[in-house]
RNA sequence: GCGAGGGUGGCCGAGCCUGGCCAAAGGCGGCGGACUUAAGAUCCGCUCUCUCAGGAGUUCGAGGGUUCGAAUCCCUUCCCUCGCACCA
């Protein structure tokens, strides 16, 4: 299948096949039921479209790498996978291919599972969950019934998109274009009122929004999106007495502006508007011809009604206006043109009075003479809070206080919290979903199917227009569980978001026959510690899952009220800055990449390309570079003689080995921190840097210390193993490791990252300086390079300077004998320190500098092909040595 | 309009939380060299400008500020992406 590897790579196909089989044979990724509090790592399960795409690969590589990392750290890990297997695409595919959704879906799952295996994702397949199986959707039905018992299910009429040709409801996304046509047949979509089943998520609106504050492991963006979506508004309801119609309620968040309410407006479909239309030609014409709720212009029509402002007692005109929406608030509002932009525009258009009743609060410094100046609202509304004016006895009150007092004072006013969130309509007039477990009886109405009769299974698929369940006459006909009379089954199925709102609980006990999940185990294993998926689910899925978790908790089946502790919304994989999509034809197939370069390369490239939450561009060059890196690594390990004498410990007299050993520690320390926070890109950079260091070491030092080199390779392999597991298994074996690298211990390091970085910097700066000198001075062939470490007293002086807060640093330094004895040199250095005082940073000790430079000398020797001497200050000529400073050795190059 | 995130050298991308060691990691691309019959692979070096032995100048969307010192902190402004929106 794969062509010969590009360039001279390694045989990734053989490596990957071998380890996938080995893992499989040993059930390497099994999480036993008796695991105690495993770390639960989860990627959002996919819709089985039949093809794994790059988004999936990225998503699941993130969870896989993290799961493997935690496992190497010694955790027991739960990392399952399943299928969001219901949904309309399968119905369409089945019709096109003359098969049925079930077979089609199961085929797709088969294919995708194979692709996941070829990516090397370490899932516990024994916990696989497939939502379209009766074993699973039975529990959707069961939960629906429990919800019903809790009073959280409601059946009511709702407006839906209806295609008269296909005879089915369409989701909003399936209505195309401004002229709203059916995506499948192009028929104009109608609105139709249908009886629909709802789950009362609004009962949990407060907890859902308040709980966001504590979800510190979630990105702010997602939390904000959920807040917006729930749209909690605190305000007041207040009634205006409308002539001949009684009290009409309006909702407002600005009751403080009620004295400026100079008109009242009704939604076009408000009952009063509809009544008026029957008698009033103007209103009828407006409703039929002019009203345009989608337009930008606020349009309206005057009525012959007036409303009494309960605060002022004044009669104000009543309009029917298209910017008043019946599904917002009460479908009626008080118009305050002085303090609301839209009301202002409307009042200008209709010639209504505009009265300012809130003035800007006097700034702190300003003299408070008790007479705030009303703002000029003739051109624009003043929409901020402030101090009341023109409001009778409320004048002078701050807006917030005025709202409270007015709410208390006005009879018809009461505090009210309003939400944008609507109850969750779960009815779908489609075949490929969970049948809603209800029977309709002429006498008893809708009746739940008894629990013992669950699941209500789907009948055979019938290729028909409209809802196949409606056409399944035999299936439909049943008897009423209550009275035994003739009855018909509910033909609606559930929204597939119902399936996904609890699937993470099913993984805990996927085969359990008498409950959706094992309560004790779920209490121990939940919540999901790290959840990873696309941002497109920020609201719907993630909100529904939170809702269902809370309800289940209230049914005393779970001790957790939030399902996902930490959430990562992973970025997109793009090509040339554009989202990959079939329609643009810019899709890079993961399969092709796996064939050509292997799964390890694909995974490693993706993880090092960018932080997981950021979008990044796919780059074929980057992939090749990654592939070459793996190839190099493999060769490096192979070249290392695994049977080399097992020297124990580091030879303390070999500074180069000590240096490399220190680099190994540093890499571990840095990479571990980064793995913890899922910043794989920087962790991997460290691992790759370590491999370069090791290669340089072997190539150019006078013989390597086997123990150090072995440890370096072992560490590099382990740091890379979570991301490139197949090759790392091979290398682990090559290095004589026991068992799987999957089960190996994460390397430990007691390295001080600070010191390691200081050392690196010293070496880098020194090398840079040598280059600089050679370059600037035009030295062609250096004969010898001397690197001289600053004398102890300068280090001491720096230490003193760092601690000192004396105004005269030179004076303070001269108070120390060991410094003063260096006379002018000490004074000069003291002045330098004084000048740089604020910028001083600690340096390594003289010995540490000496060791670090000695260890790195070979780097310079190799580069300039000249012998390097690292000297202590007292070993060098004073004319050179005196230029040395801590962190900045003196350099002398002989031509 | 409101809210969130982002703008870094030819490109991608670290750094920004916790200011100084930042002309700014790493990769890609480009240039030069080693190896090679050659190409590829591999390895070494260079890749903002000037330079008199490690120096100087200009740079991190733009402008201003704080500070001895700003890619990093604060304000203003422009641009991009995303979410919400006649929401009362």
């Amino acid at each position: 299948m794969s062509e010969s590897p590009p360039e001279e790579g390694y045989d990734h196909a053989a490596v990957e096949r071998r380890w996938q089989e080995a893992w499989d044979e040993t059930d390497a990724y099994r999480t036993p039921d008796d695991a105690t509090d495993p770390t639960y790592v989860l990627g959002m399960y996919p819709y089985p479209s039949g093809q794994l795409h790059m988004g999936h690969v990225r998503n699941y590589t993130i969870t896989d790498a993290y799961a493997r990392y935690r496992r190497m750290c010694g955790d027991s890990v739960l990392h399952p996978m399943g299928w969001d297997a219901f949904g309309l695409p399968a119905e369409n595919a089945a019709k096109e291919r003359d098969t049925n959704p079930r077979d089609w879906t199961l085929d797709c799952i088969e294919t995708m599972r194979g692709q996941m295996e070829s990516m090397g994702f370490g899932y516990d397949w024994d916990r696989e969950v497939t939502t379209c199986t009766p074993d699973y959707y039975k529990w959707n039905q069961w939960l629906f019934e429990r919800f019903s018992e809790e009073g959280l299910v409601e059946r009511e009429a709702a407006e839906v998109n209806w295609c008269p040709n296909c005879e089915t409801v369409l989701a909003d996304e399936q209505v195309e274009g401004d002229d709203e046509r059916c995506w499948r047949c192009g028929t104009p979509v109608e609105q139709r009122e249908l009886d629909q089943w709802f789950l009362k998520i609004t009962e949990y609106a407060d907890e859902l929004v308040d709980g966001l504050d504590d979800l510190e492991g979630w990105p702010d963006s997602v939390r904000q999106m959920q807040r917006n979506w729930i749209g909690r508004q605190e305000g007041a309801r207040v009634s205006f007495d409308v002539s001949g119609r009684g009290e009409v309620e309006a909702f407002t968040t600005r009751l403080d502006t009620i004295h400026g309410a100079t008109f009242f407006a009704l939604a076009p479909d408000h009952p009063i508007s509809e009544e008026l239309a029957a008698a009033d030609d103007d209103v009828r014409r407006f409703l039929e011809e002019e009203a345009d709720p989608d337009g930008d212009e606020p349009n309206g029509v005057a009525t012959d009604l007036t409303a009494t402002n309960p605060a002022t007692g004044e009669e104000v005109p009543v309009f029917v206006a298209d910017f008043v929406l019946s599904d917002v608030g009460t479908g009626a509002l008080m118009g305050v043109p002085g303090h609301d932009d839209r009301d202002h525009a409307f009042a200008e258009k209709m010639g209504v009075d505009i009265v300012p009743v809130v003035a800007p609060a006097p700034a702190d410094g300003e003299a408070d003479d008790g007479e705030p100046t009303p703002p000029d609202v003739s051109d624009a509304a003043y929409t901020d809070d402030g101090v009341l004016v023109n409001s009778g006895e409320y004048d002078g009150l701050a807006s917030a206080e005025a709202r409270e007092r007015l709410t208390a004072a006005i009879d018809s006013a009461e505090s009210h919290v309003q939400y944008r969130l609507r109850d969750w309509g779960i009815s779908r007039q489609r075949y490929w979903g969970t049948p809603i477990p209800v029977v309709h009886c002429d006498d008893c109405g809708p009746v739940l199917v008894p629990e013992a009769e669950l699941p209500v299974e789907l009948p055979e698929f019938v290729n028909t227009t409209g809802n196949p369940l409606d056409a399944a006459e035999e299936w439909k006909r049943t008897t009423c569980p209550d009275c035994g009379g003739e009855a018909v089954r509910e033909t609606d199925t559930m929204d597939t978001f119902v399936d996904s709102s609890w699937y993470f609980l099913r993984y805990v006990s996927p085969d359990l026959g008498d409950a959706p999940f094992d309560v004790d185990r779920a209490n121990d294993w939940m919540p999901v510690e790290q959840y990873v998926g696309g941002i497109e689910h920020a609201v719907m899925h993630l909100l529904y899952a939170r809702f269902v978790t809370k309800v289940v908790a209230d049914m005393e089946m779970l001790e957790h009220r939030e399902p996902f502790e930490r959430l990562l919304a992973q970025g997109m994989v793009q090509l040339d800055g554009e989202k990959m999509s079939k329609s643009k034809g810019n899709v890079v197939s993961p399969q092709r990449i796996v064939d050509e370069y292997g799964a390890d390369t694909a995974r490693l490239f993706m993880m090092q390309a960018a932080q997981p939450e950021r979008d990044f561009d796919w780059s074929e060059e980057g992939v090749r570079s990654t592939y070459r890196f793996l190839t190099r690594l493999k060769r490096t390990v192979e070249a290392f003689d695994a049977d080399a004498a097992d020297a124990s410990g580091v030879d303390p007299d070999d500074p180069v080995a000590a240096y490399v050993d220190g680099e190994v520690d540093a890499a571990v320390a840095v990479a571990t921190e980064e793995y913890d926070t899922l910043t794989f890109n920087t962790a991997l950079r460290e691992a790759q840097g370590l491999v370069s260091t090791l290669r340089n070491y072997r190539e150019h030092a006078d013989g390597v210390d086997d123990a150090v080199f072995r440890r370096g390779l072992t560490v590099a392999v382990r740091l890379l193993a979570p991301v490139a597991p197949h090759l790392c298994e091979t290398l682990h074996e090559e290095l004589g490791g026991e068992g799987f690298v999957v089960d190996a211990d994460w390397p430990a390091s007691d390295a001080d990252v600070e010191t390691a970085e200081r050392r690196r910097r010293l070496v880098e700066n020194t090398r840079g300086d040598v280059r600089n000198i050679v370059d600037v001075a035009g030295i062609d062939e250096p004969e010898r390079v001397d690197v001289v470490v600053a004398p102890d007293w300068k280090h001491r002086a720096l230490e003193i300077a760092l601690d000192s807060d004396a105004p005269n640093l030179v004076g303070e330094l001269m108070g120390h004998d060991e410094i003063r004895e260096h006379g002018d040199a000490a004074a000069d250095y003291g002045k330098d320190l004084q000048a740089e005082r604020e910028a001083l940073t600690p340096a390594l000790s003289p010995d540490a500098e000496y060791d670090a430079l000695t260890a790195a000398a070979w780097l310079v020797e190799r580069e300039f092909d000249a012998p390097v001497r690292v000297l202590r200050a007292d070993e060098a000529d004073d004319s050179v040595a005196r230029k040395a400073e801590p962190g900045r050795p003196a350099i002398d190059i002989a031509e």
Side-chain angles (χ1 to χ4, degrees):
Chain A
M1 61 164 195
S2 74
E3 301 169 24
S4 62
E7 294 117 26
E8 291 180 50
Y10 67 100
D11 188 352
H12 54 264
V15 168
E16 294 179 0
R17 203 178 314 115
R18 175 182 165 200
W19 293 108
Q20 283 160 14
E21 280 166 14
W23 294 328
D24 196 38
E25 274 163 24
T26 52
D27 281 332
Y29 302 105
R30 192 78 242 277
T31 308
D33 283 345
D34 59 6
T36 305
D37 194 22
T39 299
Y40 193 167
V41 181
L42 186 64
M44 292 181 187
Y45 68 171
Y47 178 80
S49 59
Q51 287 300 319
L52 211 60
H53 57 66
M54 283 299 177
H56 293 129
V57 174
R58 191 176 190 193
N59 191 160
Y60 303 140
T61 302
I62 292 168
T63 51
D64 194 51
Y66 187 65
R68 288 170 183 274
Y69 163 66
R70 293 298 297 257
R71 182 167 165 175
M72 290 176 76
C73 288
D75 291 13
S76 130
V77 166
L78 174 64
H79 185 221
M81 183 42 72
W83 311 99
D84 186 14
F86 271 137
L88 190 59
E91 273 180 74
N92 296 327
K95 284 184 188 178
E96 276 168 31
R97 281 156 245 249
D98 201 28
T99 171
N100 64 77
R102 188 171 170 280
D103 291 346
W104 163 255
T105 301
L106 296 180
D107 270 2
C108 286
I109 288 174
E110 203 65 34
T111 310
M112 286 179 80
R113 194 193 297 111
Q115 292 174 337
M116 287 183 178
E117 282 166 352
S118 75
M119 288 303 308
F121 297 140
Y123 295 124
D124 179 354
W125 286 110
D126 286 353
R127 297 188 178 277
E128 180 177 13
V129 156
T130 304
T131 59
C132 66
T133 60
D135 283 351
Y136 185 87
Y137 68 69
K138 168 180 179 176
W139 300 109
N140 282 341
Q141 296 172 342
W142 187 89
L143 283 166
F144 177 89
E145 301 197 342
R146 295 293 83 71
F147 274 51
S148 180
E149 285 165 14
E150 300 289 324
L152 293 170
V153 173
E154 199 167 49
R155 182 175 161 82
E156 63 177 25
E159 291 240 313
V160 291
N161 303 308
W162 180 262
C163 173
N165 184 42
C166 307
E167 297 184 301
T168 185
V169 159
L170 298 177
D172 284 344
E173 311 84 66
Q174 291 159 343
V175 180
E176 290 185 336
D178 290 338
D179 51 352
E180 306 199 323
R181 288 172 179 275
C182 172
W183 66 317
R184 204 178 310 142
C185 64
T187 309
V189 167
E190 298 169 359
Q191 296 299 302
R192 182 180 273 211
E193 221 177 57
L194 283 179
D195 284 332
Q196 301 269 290
W197 291 97
F198 289 86
L199 299 185
K200 291 161 89 172
I201 189 171
T202 52
E203 304 248 319
Y204 283 76
D206 277 317
E207 194 191 336
L208 287 167
V209 72
D210 290 335
L212 293 170
D213 295 336
D214 298 324
L215 287 177
E216 284 164 16
W218 284 38
D220 287 339
S221 60
V222 174
R223 295 199 275 175
Q224 190 58 35
M225 282 160 79
Q226 293 210 351
R227 265 185 217 109
N228 281 343
W229 186 264
I230 295 167
R232 179 162 66 187
Q233 289 261 309
E234 287 169 26
R237 284 173 178 262
V238 61
S239 294
F240 279 54
D241 186 27
V242 175
S243 50
R245 310 279 166 168
E247 300 275 304
V248 178
E249 219 172 37
F251 176 80
T252 178
T253 55
R254 292 298 304 274
L255 195 64
D256 54 317
T257 64
I258 192 168
H259 290 85
T262 51
F263 70 91
F264 195 80
L266 300 168
D269 48 351
H270 192 282
I272 296 176
S273 306
E274 285 174 353
E275 281 172 38
L276 286 172
D280 186 328
D281 286 346
D282 287 347
V283 173
R284 181 160 34 92
R285 192 169 347 95
F286 174 76
L287 294 188
E288 286 171 3
E289 292 165 26
E290 205 181 334
D292 175 18
D294 298 323
D296 291 334
E297 270 295 289
N299 302 308
V301 63
T303 68
D304 51 12
L305 304 178
T306 58
T308 307
N309 181 326
T312 61
E314 278 171 29
E315 305 259 307
V316 299
V318 174
F319 296 89
V320 173
D322 60 4
F323 65 87
V324 186
L325 306 177
S326 59
D327 58 351
V328 175
T330 59
L333 60 80
M334 66 177 205
V336 186
H339 302 284
D340 180 275
D341 291 327
R342 189 206 44 230
D343 291 353
H344 191 278
F346 186 73
E348 275 194 318
K349 185 170 175 177
M350 308 305 286
V352 177
D353 292 345
I354 301 174
V355 183
V357 293
V358 174
D364 276 351
E366 241 166 77
D368 186 7
D369 53 10
E371 288 294 321
T373 321
D376 178 6
V377 291
S378 53
D379 289 335
Y382 174 75
T383 57
D384 290 342
D385 272 9
V387 175
L388 269 67
V389 293
N390 297 333
S391 299
E393 58 180 301
Y394 298 93
D395 280 0
L397 286 181
S399 289
E401 197 188 346
R403 283 194 281 271
E404 277 177 33
R405 294 245 210 125
L406 283 158
T407 308
I410 298 171
D411 284 345
S412 68
E414 59 171 345
S415 294
H416 182 75
V417 182
Q418 175 185 291
Y419 305 89
R420 205 185 79 92
L421 181 70
R422 294 286 108 105
D423 280 333
W424 175 15
I426 60 161
S427 294
R428 296 292 121 98
Q429 287 68 31
R430 298 201 181 110
Y431 170 79
W432 197 228
T434 303
I436 294 176
V438 167
V439 164
H440 294 279
C441 167
D442 284 343
D443 296 328
C444 312
V447 179
L448 292 178
V449 172
E451 188 180 329
E453 288 173 32
L454 298 182
V456 175
E457 289 199 41
L458 284 168
E460 284 301 305
F461 180 65
V462 190
N463 190 343
T464 171
T465 57
N467 182 351
L469 289 188
D470 230 4
E473 290 299 335
E474 217 173 295
W475 175 86
K476 253 167 74 175
R477 220 175 309 120
T478 184
T479 53
C480 173
D482 279 2
C483 69
E486 283 192 8
V488 289
R489 292 191 185 281
E490 169 67 61
T491 56
D492 285 353
T493 52
M494 294 183 199
D495 183 0
T496 56
F497 279 118
V498 173
D499 314 358
S500 56
S501 62
W502 69 280
Y503 76 108
F504 43 87
L505 287 163
R506 187 67 182 168
Y507 287 133
V508 159
S509 48
D511 303 318
L512 194 62
D514 56 4
F517 56 91
D518 183 292
V519 173
D520 290 337
R521 204 180 300 154
N523 282 335
D524 186 45
W525 288 13
M526 286 287 287
V528 174
E529 189 204 289
Q530 180 66 59
Y531 198 36
V532 181
I535 187 76
E536 65 273 21
H537 294 112
V539 174
M540 311 284 264
H541 162 56
L542 289 168
L543 193 64
Y544 296 143
R546 294 181 61 221
F547 163 55
V548 169
T549 301
K550 288 173 194 305
V551 175
V552 170
D554 283 338
M555 297 189 310
E556 302 195 340
M557 292 174 61
L558 194 63
E559 288 165 4
H560 305 280
R561 300 194 72 79
E562 291 286 352
F564 313 121
E565 195 174 330
R566 294 200 288 163
L567 173 71
L568 174 76
Q570 111 251 10
M572 277 187 297
V573 183
Q574 304 177 322
L575 198 63
D576 300 323
E578 292 203 354
K579 185 179 181 169
M580 289 186 187
S581 76
K582 276 186 218 132
S583 56
K584 288 196 201 109
N586 63 347
V587 176
V588 177
S589 147
Q591 198 58 54
R592 196 205 96 215
I593 301 301
V594 170
D595 288 348
E596 278 184 40
Y597 305 96
D600 286 333
T601 294
R603 296 166 54 122
L604 180 55
F605 167 68
M606 279 201 166
M607 291 301 98
Q608 54 143 67
Q611 292 174 9
E613 46 275 281
R614 297 254 275 221
D615 295 345
F616 80 96
D617 269 14
W618 183 263
S619 144
E620 199 74 19
E621 285 308 324
V623 176
R624 281 200 210 105
S625 159
T626 302
Y627 186 62
R628 275 179 304 201
F629 166 76
L630 288 177
T631 306
R632 270 199 307 272
L633 173 63
K634 183 163 189 287
R635 289 185 187 153
T636 306
V637 172
E638 282 166 351
F640 174 67
D641 183 6
D643 299 323
D646 244 350
S648 55
V650 182
D651 177 359
D653 296 329
D654 181 352
V656 183
Y659 176 79
V660 171
D661 206 45
E663 285 299 299
V664 174
D665 281 321
V668 172
V670 174
T672 303
E673 269 179 37
E674 304 293 359
Y675 262 105
D676 275 330
T677 53
L678 300 148
T679 28
F680 303 110
N681 54 332
T682 40
L684 295 169
R685 165 175 99 202
E686 203 61 39
Q688 292 180 301
L690 174 59
V691 173
S692 296
T693 301
L694 291 170
R695 287 172 59 80
N696 283 338
Y697 177 43
R698 192 200 58 197
E699 296 288 323
H700 302 284
D702 303 329
V704 298
D705 181 310
D706 276 333
V708 168
F709 201 75
R710 170 186 296 279
R711 171 161 179 266
L713 287 175
T714 304
V715 163
V717 165
R718 290 183 191 196
L719 296 184
L720 288 163
V723 177
H726 309 88
L727 182 61
C728 287
E729 288 290 5
T730 297
L731 302 182
H732 176 73
E733 182 186 59
E734 198 107 31
L735 288 165
E738 297 280 309
F740 290 130
V741 77
V742 168
D743 296 312
D745 289 336
W746 190 253
S749 158
D750 50 3
D752 173 20
V753 178
E754 285 263 298
T755 308
E757 279 178 359
R758 236 175 257 159
R759 239 176 28 158
R760 284 180 180 179
R761 225 177 280 138
L762 173 71
V763 170
E764 268 319 304
N765 289 348
T766 306
R767 291 179 69 191
D769 282 346
V770 174
R771 270 179 220 131
N772 216 335
I773 293 167
V774 167
D775 183 40
V776 171
I779 299 170
D780 287 335
E781 289 187 5
E783 288 273 301
R784 173 179 47 72
V785 178
D786 283 350
V787 176
V788 184
V789 176
D792 289 6
W793 68 265
K794 279 192 181 173
H795 280 90
R796 178 78 187 119
L798 175 61
E799 264 172 44
I800 293 166
L802 282 166
D803 283 345
S804 164
D805 48 9
N808 179 357
L809 185 56
V810 178
E812 160 129 15
L813 289 172
M814 288 309 175
H816 294 260
D817 291 347
E818 75 270 32
I819 292 169
R820 189 178 53 234
E821 69 188 23
H822 294 280
D824 286 349
D828 287 347
Y829 185 54
K831 280 181 208 151
D832 289 349
L833 289 174
Q834 175 77 41
E836 301 266 310
R837 192 130 182 217
E838 310 284 345
L840 297 176
T841 45
L844 296 167
S845 71
D847 286 346
E849 275 197 14
Y850 180 83
D851 289 347
L853 291 168
T854 308
W858 58 278
L859 291 166
V860 178
E861 290 184 346
R862 180 190 51 169
E863 188 174 336
F864 297 96
D865 199 24
V868 172
R869 294 193 299 181
V870 178
L871 303 171
R872 296 184 190 274
D874 55 11
E875 297 165 347
D877 192 276
D878 187 53
S879 63
V880 176
R882 67 174 195 230
K883 285 192 240 165
E885 292 178 13
R888 195 84 201 270
I891 296 165
D892 185 59
I893 302 174
E895 281 189 80

